[in-house]
């Protein structure tokens, strides 16, 4: 594989100011772009002879709502001992009715794509935060890489990110008539409804879930691995 | 004159050739497919969301259940991504064991594929032969991990334990006794490596046998030649990987181009197709059987002559041995912490991809420094393949839909996740 330094130089040469941020990374170069440049950057990445990322390996949504949040605080050790890992609001802790609502946060939803160039044998990760976290929107890449079609449907289904220009933005993985976007961090791990056979109605019916939300191992960030230097990824 | 119009047909989700739970809405003009709309998600279990709620190690077992016919390959990608995050060195012996088991998994997967693909297209016999060989490899899975399918054998830092010295034998039963018992235990007298070697050496002949049934078979050719043709340009656009991409004539294989484990040190070739139709993809996969067997023999040879640790000796990541734990307070604490809380991966992100039997299987992990992944995305090779279904079957007959499903090597565990 080519050197990541030369790749960053080539990217800067081809894309110039449209790169908001770049990072060499341990496994591959990561760049961040502004949503207004999303389409042109993508096209340039595929067409530019020095880049030639012909293949879209993966496209996924990310919800940064709970980034760096823990359920067990280990930093405030006192002579009375550690705090107990029973507080905090992870997705495993609340039910559908108790889910956090009306949370607003800038730079909440991101779309991350992984690209592969067969000619240069290199990979690239591009991240783009959507502008509005209440109604996340971004342009569709379907005209540039055909396989973006289902990947975008999946990101829409799981995160509610709207891809403008997508011809067929339907749910893909969840049930027909599903409510909500299950991979968002304010969606409970136990879910919303469950199905069971109703003896009286003699058909399958949807009822609220009976599982109690619980966390077996609390989420904890240890200082030595902490999210210090690149907390705001 | 009566009016002729298109009609819509429902295929699946319960259909033997849907390879799981695929529901296809087909718009037909007579017997010709005009539109195909796959409905997926009937096996969606939210693996990625579940993984976010568990310490890293506890999700390895879920990976087996993604592509449930190539179990260890899935584990490999997940474990490799964690290793990238943590920066753990894996001992050489573990890398060879991984390489060997990846290739055994490839054979397992391709056996399943040729069996069911043949069955769908009217070649019943092959199914029985393929499952006979699969059983032997399953025994290796069991010998090494205790489970026939969902092994959870790969761990961050290496593999769970070293290969067993003895291969378990069949016990005498009402159905297997006397001469039969001696025959089924013939390869099992020595160590597990002896068994694998005996199996693999014999396997070349088995592949030739499969080929006599299909390669020049007139019916087989009628069902596969010129069906589901994908040009190299489209294959790249559609995100094809693995045999689907190589069948279209693009020599791209992660084992060669971006080698991981020990693939840089073993000798093998990448077979590619010419026309990009179902028949070429069939030939590519048949040839991959032989290449996999070649790799396994080289690994067996190395593993016989070289001993060493199979998991990194880093108690923050991998547990101390039972003996040490009973003997040493420090080791006991490590053991306790590892199994109750797990380990924290440094904040950052990693994408690790391996050449799974179906194509590029990748795991993308975002970590915020916690003991659980912040986000796990599984890049399943079958997902973009199935997305191309409509393009591949348009204008073909209804029976060719079955051929295309077969050639895509669809498994819903990984597509629906």
């Amino acid at each position: 594989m080519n050197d990541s330094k030369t790749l960053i130089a080539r990217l800067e040469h081809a894309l110039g100011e449209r790169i908001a941020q770049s990072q060499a990374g341990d496994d591959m170069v990561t760049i961040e772009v502004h949503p207004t440049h999303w389409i042109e950057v993508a096209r340039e990445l595929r067409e530019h002879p020095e880049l030639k990322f012909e293949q879209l390996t993966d496209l996924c949504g990310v919800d940064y709502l709970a980034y760096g949040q823990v359920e067990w605080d280990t930093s405030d050790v006192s002579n009375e001992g550690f705090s107990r890992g029973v507080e905090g609001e992870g997705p495993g802790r609340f039910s559908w009715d108790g889910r956090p609502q009306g949370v607003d946060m800038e730079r909440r939803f991101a779309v991350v794509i992984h690209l592969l160039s067969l000619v240069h044998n290199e990979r690239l990760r591009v991240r783009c935060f959507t502008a509005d976290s209440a109604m996340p929107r971004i342009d569709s890449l379907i005209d540039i890489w055909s396989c973006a079609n289902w990947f975008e449907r999946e990101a829409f289904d799981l995160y509610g990110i709207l891809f403008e220009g997508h011809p067929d933005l339907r749910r893909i993985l969840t049930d027909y008539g599903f409510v909500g976007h299950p991979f968002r961090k304010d969606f409970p791990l136990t879910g919303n409804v469950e199905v069971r056979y109703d003896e009286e109605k003699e058909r399958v019916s949807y009822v609220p879930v009976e599982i109690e939300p619980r966390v077996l191992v609390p989420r904890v960030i240890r200082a030595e691995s902490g999210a210090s230097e690149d907390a705001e990824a | 004159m009566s009016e002729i119009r298109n009609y819509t047909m429902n295929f699946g989700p319960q259909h033997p050739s849907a390879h799981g739970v695929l529901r296809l809405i087909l718009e037909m003009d007579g017997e010709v497919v005009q539109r195909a709309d796959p409905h997926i998600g009937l096996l969606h279990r939210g693996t990625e969301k579940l993984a976010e709620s568990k310490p890293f190690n506890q999700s390895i077992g879920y990976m087996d259940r993604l592509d449930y016919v190539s179990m260890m390959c899935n584990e490999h990608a997940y474990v490799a991504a964690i290793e990238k995050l943590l920066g753990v060195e894996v001992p050489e012996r573990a890398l060879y064991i991984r390489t060997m088991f990846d290739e055994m998994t490839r054979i397992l997967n391709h056996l399943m594929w040729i069996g069911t693909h043949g069955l769908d297209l009217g070649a019943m016999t092959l199914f029985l032969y393929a499952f006979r060989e699969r059983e032997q490899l399953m025994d290796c899975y069991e010998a090494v991990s205790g489970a026939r399918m969902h092994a959870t054998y790969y761990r961050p830092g290496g593999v769970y334990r070293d290969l067993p010295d003895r291969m378990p034998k069949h016990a005498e039963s009402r159905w297997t006794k006397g001469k039969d018992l001696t025959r089924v235990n013939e390869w099992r007298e020595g160590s597990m490596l002896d068994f694998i070697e005996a199996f693999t050496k014999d396997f070349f002949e088995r592949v030739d046998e499969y080929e006599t049934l299909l390669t020049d078979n007139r019916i087989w050719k009628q069902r596969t030649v010129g069906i589901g043709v994908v040009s190299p340009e489209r294959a790249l656009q559609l995100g094809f990987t693995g045999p689907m991409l190589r069948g279209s004539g693009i020599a791209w294989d992660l084992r060669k181009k971006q080698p991981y484990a020990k693939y840089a040190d073993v000798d093998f070739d990448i077979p590619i197709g010419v026309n990009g139709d179902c028949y070429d993809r069939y030939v590519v996969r048949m040839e991959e059987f032989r290449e996999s067997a070649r790799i396994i023999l080289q690994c067996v040879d190395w593993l016989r002559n070289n001993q060493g640790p199979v998991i990194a000796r880093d108690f923050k990541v991998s547990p101390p041995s039972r003996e040490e734990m009973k003997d040493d307070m420090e080791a006991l604490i490590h053991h306790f912490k590892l199994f109750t809380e797990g380990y924290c991966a440094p904040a950052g992100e990693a994408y690790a991809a391996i050449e799974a039997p179906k194509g590029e299987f990748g795991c993308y992990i975002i970590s915020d420094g916690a003991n659980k992944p912040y986000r796990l995305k599984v890049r399943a090779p079958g997902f973009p393949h199935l997305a191309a279904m409509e393009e591949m079957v348009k204008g073909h007959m209804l029976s060719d839909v079955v051929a295309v499903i077969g050639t895509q090597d669809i498994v819903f565990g990984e597509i629906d996740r």
Side-chain angles (χ1 to χ4, degrees):
Chain A
M1 277 199 264
N2 279 341
D3 194 19
S4 63
K5 286 242 172 62
T6 73
L7 175 58
I8 293 185
R10 275 177 285 141
L11 284 165
E12 274 166 1
H13 176 241
L15 300 170
E17 307 224 312
R18 285 172 291 189
I19 303 177
Q21 205 188 332
S22 70
Q23 211 182 341
D26 291 336
D27 59 339
M28 65 178 90
V29 176
T30 307
I31 60 169
E32 199 182 307
V33 297
H34 197 265
T36 45
H37 297 140
W38 186 235
I39 281 279
E40 16 166 346
V41 165
R43 181 157 287 128
E44 201 67 24
L45 285 173
R46 193 183 65 133
E47 310 275 325
H48 198 284
E50 284 181 9
L51 301 171
K52 277 273 172 218
F53 289 99
E54 306 108 315
Q55 203 169 41
L56 174 71
T57 312
D58 186 32
L59 181 150
C60 69
V62 184
D63 177 5
Y64 279 96
L65 183 67
Y67 192 85
Q69 283 179 17
V70 291
E71 292 163 328
W72 185 25
D73 193 9
T74 52
S75 57
D76 60 342
V77 192
S78 67
N79 49 10
E80 282 141 46
F82 282 100
S83 71
R84 296 190 55 211
V86 290
E87 283 126 31
E89 278 272 285
R93 285 269 159 85
F94 50 79
S95 64
W96 177 253
D97 295 323
R99 69 190 193 276
Q101 275 169 331
V103 268
D104 200 25
M105 174 193 172
E106 258 188 59
R107 289 164 67 86
R108 177 175 170 185
F109 292 106
V111 171
V112 181
I113 57 174
H114 286 89
L115 301 174
L116 174 68
S117 163
L118 279 73
V119 182
H120 303 299
N121 192 10
E122 39 187 28
R123 290 179 187 274
L124 174 70
R125 180 183 297 134
V126 188
R127 188 194 325 273
C128 179
F129 280 92
T130 62
D132 182 5
S133 72
M135 195 165 124
R137 268 178 304 182
I138 196 166
D139 290 318
S140 169
L141 296 179
I142 204 163
D143 293 333
I144 298 162
W145 294 285
S146 304
C147 63
N149 184 347
W150 274 28
F151 285 128
E152 288 180 351
R153 278 178 68 186
E154 184 191 310
F156 160 70
D157 188 3
L158 303 178
Y159 287 96
I161 299 168
L162 298 168
F163 291 88
E164 282 176 285
H166 193 291
D168 185 26
L169 201 64
R170 283 175 294 152
R171 285 189 179 271
I172 185 165
L173 290 178
T174 51
D175 200 359
Y176 304 111
F178 191 85
V179 177
H181 300 288
F183 276 33
R184 287 187 174 190
K185 290 285 178 181
D186 53 5
F187 190 96
L189 187 67
T190 53
N192 178 11
V193 286
E194 63 186 22
V195 283
R196 77 151 65 101
Y197 183 73
D198 193 318
E199 293 276 355
E200 279 171 30
K201 292 180 199 153
E202 294 192 326
R203 61 175 173 83
V204 171
S205 67
Y206 290 81
V207 290
V209 279
E210 278 187 353
I211 323 164
E212 285 289 318
R214 59 171 187 168
V215 170
L216 294 179
V217 182
R219 189 182 168 77
V220 59
I221 295 182
R222 292 285 173 186
E224 61 265 30
S225 69
S228 51
E229 69 269 5
D230 44 359
E232 208 49 60
Chain B
M1 208 176 101
S2 64
E3 196 189 342
I4 300 169
R5 56 190 172 138
N6 289 356
Y7 60 97
T8 313
M9 209 183 92
N10 182 49
F11 178 96
Q14 300 293 330
H15 190 279
S17 62
H19 287 209
V21 281
L22 169 66
R23 183 176 175 214
L24 268 175
I25 309 293
L26 299 167
E27 199 179 300
M28 312 288 298
D29 175 16
E31 213 185 319
V32 179
V33 179
Q34 297 295 319
R35 278 196 58 207
D37 179 19
H39 285 199
I40 64 167
L42 288 106
L43 201 61
H44 179 59
R45 296 148 294 179
T47 305
E48 292 157 352
K49 178 125 179 157
L50 278 173
E52 289 169 12
S53 73
K54 287 180 193 310
F56 285 95
N57 268 15
Q58 290 185 17
S59 301
I60 302 174
Y62 282 130
M63 297 301 127
D64 291 314
R65 287 148 180 87
L66 289 171
D67 180 357
Y68 46 75
V69 288
S70 40
M71 296 71 80
M72 287 202 193
C73 286
N74 310 343
E75 287 174 22
H76 197 161
Y78 179 64
V79 162
I82 298 174
E83 279 160 5
K84 258 189 195 176
L85 274 175
L86 293 168
V88 186
E89 267 312 303
V90 182
E92 202 177 13
R93 187 170 168 86
L95 291 177
Y96 269 102
I97 294 178
R98 283 185 185 180
T99 311
M100 185 175 79
F101 268 96
D102 273 12
E103 292 312 312
M104 281 160 63
T105 309
R106 194 178 312 279
I107 293 181
L108 268 175
N109 176 82
H110 284 4
L111 282 172
M112 181 75 175
W113 160 79
I114 190 65
T116 49
H117 191 32
L119 196 63
D120 290 347
L121 299 187
M124 172 88 202
T125 329
L126 204 59
F127 187 76
L128 305 171
Y129 287 132
F131 269 64
R132 179 186 62 188
E133 262 73 72
R134 246 174 89 80
E135 213 46 48
Q136 312 267 24
L137 289 175
M138 295 276 207
D139 285 346
C140 293
Y141 262 52
E142 190 175 347
V144 88
S145 73
R148 273 161 47 83
M149 295 184 79
H150 304 304
T152 326
Y153 179 55
Y154 292 11
R155 301 292 163 94
V159 294
Y160 184 61
R161 59 178 173 198
D162 209 340
L163 305 170
D165 293 332
R166 278 186 316 120
M167 186 70 191
K169 288 183 198 164
H170 287 282
E172 190 177 308
S173 73
R174 268 162 69 196
W175 302 276
T176 335
K177 56 189 170 192
K179 258 192 216 156
D180 280 343
L181 189 66
T182 333
R183 183 177 51 80
V184 293
N185 281 335
E186 194 191 325
W187 293 342
R188 295 166 190 255
E189 297 299 334
S191 71
M192 185 180 166
L193 284 173
D194 295 334
F195 175 79
I196 295 173
E197 193 183 23
F199 171 84
T200 315
K201 281 193 169 149
D202 178 70
F203 189 66
F204 289 99
E205 219 172 287
R206 297 284 92 81
V207 179
D208 294 341
E209 234 172 62
Y210 305 155
E211 288 223 61
T212 58
L213 286 169
L214 293 180
T215 306
D216 293 319
N217 183 327
R218 189 156 46 95
I219 304 170
W220 182 256
K221 279 189 162 174
Q222 279 171 349
R223 291 300 302 273
T224 53
V225 175
I227 304 294
V229 179
V230 183
S231 68
E233 297 77 33
R234 285 308 291 166
L236 284 177
Q237 265 285 320
L238 293 166
F240 281 12
T241 46
M244 294 290 287
L245 187 62
R246 292 194 283 274
S248 294
I250 296 177
W252 180 263
D253 189 323
L254 291 180
R255 293 176 293 171
K256 279 269 189 232
K257 302 286 178 178
Q258 300 174 3
Y260 52 93
K262 277 288 164 193
Y263 284 110
D265 297 347
V266 289
D267 186 32
F268 66 102
D269 299 312
I270 333 175
I272 58 166
V274 181
N275 306 314
D277 58 3
C278 289
Y279 186 76
D280 280 27
R281 287 185 284 267
Y282 153 77
V283 176
V284 165
R285 287 190 175 110
M286 289 313 256
E287 211 47 54
E288 283 188 5
F289 272 136
R290 298 192 177 93
E291 296 305 323
S292 291
R294 264 175 77 191
I295 298 172
I296 293 174
L297 286 178
Q298 293 170 56
C299 291
V300 168
D301 196 43
W302 192 94
L303 286 166
R304 255 209 201 116
N305 300 321
N306 298 275
Q307 296 299 323
V310 292
I311 192 155
R313 211 183 138 73
D314 178 355
F315 294 161
K316 299 280 182 225
V317 180
S318 59
S321 74
R322 205 79 197 156
E323 246 167 36
E324 268 175 297
M325 194 191 95
K326 304 267 181 186
D327 209 39
D328 179 18
M329 193 63 205
E330 196 82 348
L332 180 69
I333 296 170
H334 274 127
H335 189 275
F336 176 73
K337 283 309 272 180
L338 200 58
F339 282 94
T340 51
E341 183 182 301
Y343 44 81
C344 293
E349 42 193 2
Y351 176 81
I354 59 142
E355 184 75 27
K358 293 182 170 67
E360 178 175 330
F361 188 96
C363 276
Y364 171 46
I365 300 180
I366 302 180
S367 167
D368 59 352
N371 55 342
K372 305 171 181 184
Y374 182 76
R375 165 86 166 110
L376 166 70
K377 172 72 176 32
V378 173
R379 192 268 179 206
F383 192 77
H385 293 165
L386 188 62
M389 173 62 83
E390 171 154 357
E391 192 170 322
M392 285 177 78
V393 298
K394 205 177 239 174
H396 280 307
M397 307 282 255
L398 176 61
S399 54
D400 297 331
V401 173
V402 173
V404 171
I405 294 174
T407 196
Q408 287 185 343
D409 201 0
I410 298 292
V411 160
F412 276 88
E414 55 155 13
I415 291 172
D416 292 346
R417 279 158 287 151

